[in-house]
Amino acid sequence: KQEVTQIPAALSVPEGENLVLNCSFTDSAIYNLQWFRQDPGKGLTSLLLIQSSQREQTSGRLNASLDKSSGRSTLYIAASQPGDSATYLCAVIQGAQKLVFGQGTRLTINP
Amino acid sequence: NAGVTQTPKFQVLKTGQSMTLQCAQDMNHEYMSWYRQDPGMGLRLIHYSVGAGITDQGEVPNGYNVSRSTTEDFPLRLLSAAPSQTSVYFCASSSTDTRGGNQPQHFGDGTRLSIL
């Protein structure tokens, strides 16, 4: 059974810092991996989708990498801002586009 | 530009009552799915569909029923509500591109359900 782990569970950093969120998965037979953002009481917003054949994807200040052989993905956030405060979820995508989620990293950016 | 629409946003039920959570998407996506989100458990897959007329069970299907009569709609039915079904429910949809690659999953805003 696929298991997805996100470390750390919570992270608090001062504004302007670069930071890395980690995601690991136990079964490398995945189609893709997707990173989401979730604000309190809200739904999930897609940040980046990495196809299994890709190594990384970039969008603005965000960069996500994928290493299937080691079962790891990282989300790099450059020059963090208070508006980046949210819970970040990673999910591996299996057959029929079924998602297996990690439990998330709750990020707080302090002004 | 509606995307994935879930109704209702909030609902309180009594144990034993039944209800249907609605999910509609306007992007012509073939894949749709339902997840529940619980503290300490994360998001877990309840049921999913790969197209109209085709559904299958996910990780936690007990107590829930689905059908997919159209591409746009994927309702989730609680047959006899139990307190353990108190949760936040999310509907998602996605598609593949012309080369068969997966496109990003789109999520609705969720339905917050309390069972007393």
Side-chain angles (χ1 to χ4, degrees), chain A:
Chain A
K1 178 185 174 185
Q2 178 75 266
E3 293 183 0
V4 180
T5 303
Q6 292 186 246
I7 295 173
L11 181 64
S12 180
V13 301
E15 181 179 2
E17 280 202 3
N18 303 324
L19 57 99
V20 174
L21 307 181
N22 296 294
C23 173
S24 62
F25 47 94
T26 55
D27 185 351
S28 63
I30 67 171
Y31 283 72
N32 308 292
L33 187 142
Q34 192 166 355
W35 282 91
F36 295 90
R37 168 188 174 134
Q38 185 175 30
D39 294 290
K42 303 294 186 182
L44 281 68
T45 300
S46 177
L47 297 173
L48 289 164
L49 169 69
I50 311 176
Q51 307 280 352
S52 62
S53 58
Q54 297 175 320
R55 299 279 297 180
E56 63 179 332
Q57 277 286 345
T58 298
S59 176
R61 294 183 293 108
L62 305 179
N63 176 276
S65 69
L66 174 63
D67 184 344
K68 282 182 58 178
S69 62
S70 66
R72 294 185 177 182
S73 176
T74 62
L75 179 67
Y76 174 83
I77 302 176
S80 58
Q81 303 170 357
D84 295 330
S85 297
T87 296
Y88 290 79
L89 298 163
C90 76
V92 299
I93 304 173
Q94 300 182 299
Q97 303 220 10
K98 296 177 288 184
L99 299 177
V100 180
F101 283 88
Q103 298 224 16
T105 294
R106 188 173 67 253
L107 177 64
T108 303
I109 308 299
N110 301 304

Side-chain angles (χ1 to χ4, degrees), chain B residues 16-36:
Chain B
Q17 288 184 316
S18 63
M19 80 160 292
T20 299
L21 279 62
Q22 302 291 344
C23 175
Q25 53 92 7
D26 61 357
M27 297 170 283
N28 200 33
H29 286 172
E30 61 267 42
Y31 298 93
M32 296 186 74
S33 50
W34 278 100
Y35 295 84
R36 60 177 289 175

Side-chain angles (χ1 to χ4, degrees), chain B residues 50-105:
Chain B
V50 300
I54 306 171
T55 64
D56 207 344
Q57 296 180 352
E59 182 184 356
V60 288
N62 293 342
Y64 306 94
N65 217 348
V66 292
S67 60
R68 183 110 180 259
S69 57
T70 67
T71 299
E72 294 79 18
D73 299 299
F74 190 42
L76 178 71
R77 297 180 187 85
L78 277 69
L79 308 174
S80 178
S84 61
Q85 293 178 305
T86 293
S87 186
V88 182
Y89 292 85
F90 289 101
C91 178
S93 74
S94 61
S95 67
T96 55
D97 60 28
T98 55
R99 293 173 295 179
N102 292 334
Q103 294 297 296
Q105 299 248 354

